[in-house]
Amino acid sequence: MTARPGMHTLTEGRGLLFGGDYNPEQWPEEVWAEDARLMRAAGVNLVTVGVFSWARLEPEPGVYDFGWLDRVLDLMADNEIAVDLATPTASPPPWLGHRWPETLPVDEAGHRLWYGSRNQFCPSSSVYRQRALEIVTALADRYAGHPAPALWHVGNEYGQVCHCDESAAAFRTWLRDRYGDLGTLNDAWGTTFWSQHYGDWAEILPPRRAPYIINPGQRLDWWRFCSDALLDHFRAERDVLRERTPGTPVTTNFMGLFKPIDGWAWAAEEDVVSNDWYPEPGSPLAPALTALTHDVMRGLAGGRPWLLMEQATNGVNWRPHNLPKPPGQFRLESLQALARGADGLCYFQWRASRFGAERFHAAMVPHAGAETRLHAEVRAHGQELRGLGSVAGAPVPAKVAMVFDWASWWALEERGRPSDRLNATEQLLDYYVPLWERGVSVDVVPPSADLSAYALVVVPNLFLVGDRDAAALTAYVRGGGVLVVGPFSGVVDPRAHVRTGRFPAPLREVLGASGEEWLPAPLDRPVRCRWSGGDGFDAHTWTELLAAEGAEVVAEFTEGDLAGRPAVTRHRSGEGVAWYVGTMPAPAALSELTGRALADAGVEGALPGLPPGVEAVRRGDVLFLLNHGTATVRVPLPHEADDLLTGSLATDHVTLTPRAVAALRPHPGRPHPGRPHPGAS
Ligand code: GAL
Ligand code: ZN
């Protein structure tokens, strides 16, 4: 097996990647020359071209017009700007839907979605597949060997869903592969409930709009199928590209923790993991959520570098009220991605559109032109990235893992559960925040991951868990790991059938604790708890009737029917320790709990005494400090370091104004006065 090309293929000889979506088809060719000049001045070395150009490339079925794209790619090659060449299949031309309406997606109520926007295709449509592969083939044939394309960008932000008859047929085929026979499917879906027994494959449908709650087994398989159907399409395009340009890596841009596509399954099929990420300006949770999302991307990339394909220099246009980004903000966000493993920092888009649905979306060159505050920042940022090339390729080492699983997410958030206030991604973020605040690096991993290298594994929620994965968590603890399991975990099996017995049934032994009732709490007041022998604290939303079965009770409920019953337990099992959290502790309490679990695991943050709002993360030998707060802070340093961003030497501290970043590399041979040099004996 030969190694596939990856991010390294792109960064070798180029260093960190910087650029954005480039849509020259929206502009007269005179503007292109200025674009190229400005790109060079800004240090742009990668542009994504052609994402929405199908109608320009193939104005009529089978009639191609590549001339303009030839000129764009030549221009980029002449300017030594690599091209991330897109297959244009995210937005089929009107002729496709007009002549073949069956390519248009149908929603769950049976309404067809029309052209006039974008993304209007049915993932299972054979006509769409055929037409898509034809344009992809033509594109790959034409540009194989052209010096500009360095990366393939397949489609755009996959996530389409279709409930049409062709999708129904594809769903049945998928189900036959999964279950073999109808009896097994009926068992898996529990169709004795509400008279849902299927006597013929032809009766099986996508979960179309129905009078009341739809079968959760059917829905779970539909989520699985929809992700797989799109992945199948992605693979088909990818294979055309790989055959013609085997040395060019292939990516498709994700959208963070995006529910419709199973990130683990998808990432395994691409050469480069890339993401589009638009933190919400003004949201206090944005820095941590963004850090988490970047860690998810690094996890999807198997710890290797990934590409931030799209971010915004300023306000977007698709929120109801689009707050701008203050000066320095997009740079801070870009460097945050770099610190968390991105080797490319790209934007949507290069030049702001004059027309179309995104006229009011920020860009690298705003409507007001290049002589602007914003473009000056773009240019400065591009240039400073040239000086950070030595960071490219470096890993972000982590001793803590957080487990996240799409199937569990899908299964958890179905209708008809004890509470819709307990959600997979919110739980993930809740447990992530106290780690992030301490500068503890986290790898996000699937339940099937090899956990043996981690000192602490946090499972904020794993509602659905298979026997093997549960056994692996147990073995991890027995072998010396520290495990923290959040509420409503281990509840169902992979068919979404409740595991009977005291919960969480498959983890009961390792946790040394179990429960018998899930008890959503009144929402108008906190759930009062107390650390054993210590202070009280608040939790909210969710409680469980638990009993310790060998575990130590770390915290108990103090009010109501649960008074005196366990809220948090800790169990020594084998060589390790397993925690169970049967409620949703408020942030301060979750932070306390996290601190104790970190102590069990012997894990410390990147830097002690971090001021609030300062993110600390190590990438390779560089310690990044990012000030997301509104105050100027002084951060003490354990040793002298060179700041790669300012070029100055930091002796015992750095001062960070709001939105400032330091990228500190230990200064060779300059021990901190009064402290032994790290590594000196
Ligand atoms: C992304 C998309 C881009 C553009 C951008 C605007 O979701 O891939 O094409 O629409 O959002 O923020
Ligand atoms: Zn369809």
Side-chain angles (χ1 to χ4, degrees):
M1 215 181 90
T2 50
R4 290 289 316 153
M7 268 312 277
H8 58 278
T9 319
L10 296 163
T11 50
E12 265 161 29
R14 285 191 192 93
L16 297 172
L17 306 169
F18 178 64
D21 278 55
Y22 181 38
N23 297 305
E25 65 272 32
Q26 297 176 11
W27 297 92
E29 298 201 18
E30 302 85 80
V31 178
W32 301 0
E34 192 201 29
D35 286 331
R37 187 175 55 75
L38 291 174
M39 284 175 186
R40 284 186 74 114
V44 165
N45 58 7
L46 182 74
V47 288
T48 300
V49 174
V51 182
F52 299 107
S53 62
W54 192 345
R56 277 297 307 270
L57 293 173
E58 191 181 2
E60 292 172 50
V63 176
Y64 298 115
D65 173 9
F66 284 115
W68 68 274
L69 187 54
D70 293 350
R71 294 192 291 283
V72 171
L73 295 192
D74 291 349
L75 179 68
M76 293 298 109
D78 289 346
N79 285 278
E80 291 177 329
I81 297 167
V83 170
D84 168 29
L85 187 54
T87 70
T89 50
S91 195
W95 57 252
L96 187 74
H98 178 69
R99 297 194 199 196
W100 292 280
E102 71 270 29
T103 62
L104 296 168
V106 173
D107 72 11
E108 59 184 358
H111 296 129
R112 220 169 255 298
L113 306 181
W114 295 91
Y115 44 85
S117 177
R118 66 175 181 187
N119 306 338
Q120 73 289 354
F121 65 85
C122 164
S124 299
S125 160
S126 55
V127 173
Y128 168 73
R129 171 76 57 99
Q130 182 204 330
R131 290 286 162 183
L133 295 187
E134 280 174 19
I135 183 72
V136 171
T137 305
L139 198 65
D141 282 342
R142 185 153 190 112
Y143 297 113
H146 191 286
L151 174 65
W152 284 111
H153 180 295
V154 174
N156 193 59
E157 298 187 333
Y158 278 106
Q160 294 71 20
V161 172
C162 179
H163 292 73
C164 75
D165 290 343
E166 198 168 356
S167 294
F171 185 38
R172 286 178 209 121
T173 304
W174 184 93
L175 290 166
R176 271 183 202 267
D177 280 355
R178 185 173 180 87
Y179 295 114
D181 61 85
L182 263 187
T184 311
L185 178 141
N186 276 300
D187 287 347
W189 287 9
T191 56
T192 48
F193 188 81
W194 283 352
S195 177
Q196 291 169 351
H197 180 86
Y198 293 97
D200 187 334
W201 286 99
E203 294 164 5
I204 296 172
L205 292 175
R208 291 179 179 161
R209 188 172 292 179
Y212 189 46
I213 301 176
I214 292 176
N215 182 316
Q218 178 188 4
R219 292 259 318 160
L220 176 57
D221 277 343
W222 177 249
W223 282 108
R224 290 177 169 132
F225 162 77
C226 289
S227 176
D228 282 1
L230 276 173
L231 182 55
D232 198 57
H233 182 82
F234 165 81
R235 264 197 232 105
E237 290 198 20
R238 179 204 64 189
D239 290 348
V240 168
L241 302 171
R242 278 191 178 167
E243 199 188 316
R244 285 162 180 77
T245 56
T248 307
V250 178
T251 189
T252 185
N253 46 344
F254 293 145
M255 282 186 276
L257 280 164
F258 179 61
K259 197 169 175 184
I261 63 167
D262 177 346
W264 302 122
W266 278 70
E269 301 285 349
E270 56 179 0
D271 302 319
V272 165
V273 167
S274 63
N275 193 38
D276 299 348
W277 191 245
Y278 295 93
E280 188 164 350
S283 159
L285 280 177
L289 176 60
T290 298
L292 167 61
T293 305
H294 296 342
D295 290 356
V296 169
M297 291 305 137
R298 201 179 62 251
L300 293 174
R304 287 178 291 278
W306 54 279
L307 172 61
L308 183 56
M309 183 69 84
E310 294 182 23
Q311 52 180 332
T313 57
N314 207 340
V316 298
N317 70 315
W318 42 262
R319 293 191 174 101
H321 183 69
N322 296 289
L323 290 182
K325 295 186 181 179
Q329 181 67 25
F330 80 74
R331 169 184 183 265
L332 169 67
E333 292 171 355
S334 207
L335 293 173
Q336 186 185 18
L338 173 68
R340 308 199 84 90
D343 270 2
L345 296 315
C346 296
Y347 291 80
F348 181 86
Q349 60 177 328
W350 166 250
R351 189 181 276 281
S353 304
R354 292 165 299 170
F355 42 70
E358 292 177 332
R359 287 166 302 166
F360 300 113
H361 192 289
M364 299 169 84
V365 182
H367 291 140
E371 301 310 314
T372 46
R373 183 282 297 174
L374 188 129
H375 187 71
E377 277 192 43
V378 166
R379 210 180 288 138
H381 183 49
Q383 277 154 5
E384 76 182 342
L385 290 177
R386 301 291 107 234
L388 291 171
S390 62
V391 178
V396 178
K399 287 192 145 54
V400 177
M402 291 182 94
V403 173
F404 189 79
D405 181 47
W406 265 261
S408 182
W409 184 5
W410 296 330
L412 172 69
E413 295 180 8
E414 284 302 316
R415 286 179 67 192
R417 56 198 170 120
S419 168
D420 68 3
R421 302 296 179 105
L422 195 157
N423 293 316
T425 48
E426 287 171 19
Q427 287 292 293
L428 188 69
L429 182 61
D430 281 359
Y431 280 79
Y432 182 82
V433 166
L435 293 162
W436 177 79
E437 286 173 343
R438 288 172 166 83
V440 172
S441 290
V442 174
D443 283 348
V444 181
V445 301
S448 59
D450 175 4
L451 302 172
S452 54
Y454 296 105
L456 171 64
V457 171
V458 182
V459 181
N461 176 265
L462 199 57
F463 172 71
L464 177 156
V465 66
D467 294 342
R468 215 184 314 132
D469 294 340
L473 289 172
T474 300
Y476 164 73
V477 175
R478 300 258 156 90
V482 178
L483 175 71
V484 176
V485 178
F488 210 39
S489 292
V491 175
V492 302
D493 68 15
R495 300 171 306 172
H497 291 205
V498 173
R499 294 173 174 278
T500 54
R502 295 180 65 88
F503 63 78
L507 298 171
R508 177 178 173 186
E509 256 188 68
V510 73
L511 295 173
S514 70
E516 58 192 74
E517 292 181 41
W518 298 294
L519 304 164
L523 295 172
D524 58 354
R525 56 180 184 272
V527 172
R528 293 294 303 154
C529 306
R530 183 175 57 220
W531 299 109
S532 299
D535 294 342
F537 66 87
D538 282 352
H540 61 97
T541 311
W542 185 272
T543 63
E544 297 179 353
L545 177 55
L546 299 174
E549 298 167 331
E552 150 199 8
V553 177
V554 174
E556 60 183 27
F557 297 108
T558 55
E559 276 175 10
D561 297 334
L562 287 177
R565 310 289 303 230
V568 180
T569 60
R570 175 177 177 275
H571 187 224
R572 290 190 171 282
S573 178
E575 305 292 305
V577 178
W579 293 69
Y580 184 66
V581 187
T583 185
M584 290 162 65
L590 200 50
S591 180
E592 166 72 26
L593 190 156
T594 303
R596 295 184 187 199
L598 285 167
D600 275 347
V603 175
E604 285 175 4
L607 204 61
L610 269 184
V614 176
E615 173 174 350
V617 57
R618 269 182 212 287
R619 182 165 183 201
D621 62 350
V622 179
L623 172 66
F624 284 87
L625 297 174
L626 305 107
N627 187 4
H628 299 282
T630 49
T632 296
V633 293
R634 187 179 192 278
V635 187
L637 298 178
H639 49 68
E640 294 195 344
D642 293 309
D643 187 339
L644 305 184
L645 289 162
T646 59
S648 61
L649 178 73
T651 53
D652 62 347
H653 75 279
V654 284
T655 301
L656 296 173
T657 54
R659 300 188 284 279
V661 180
L664 303 168
R665 176 171 280 151
H667 190 83
R670 290 284 295 261
H672 188 284
R675 260 173 255 180
H677 187 247
S681 51

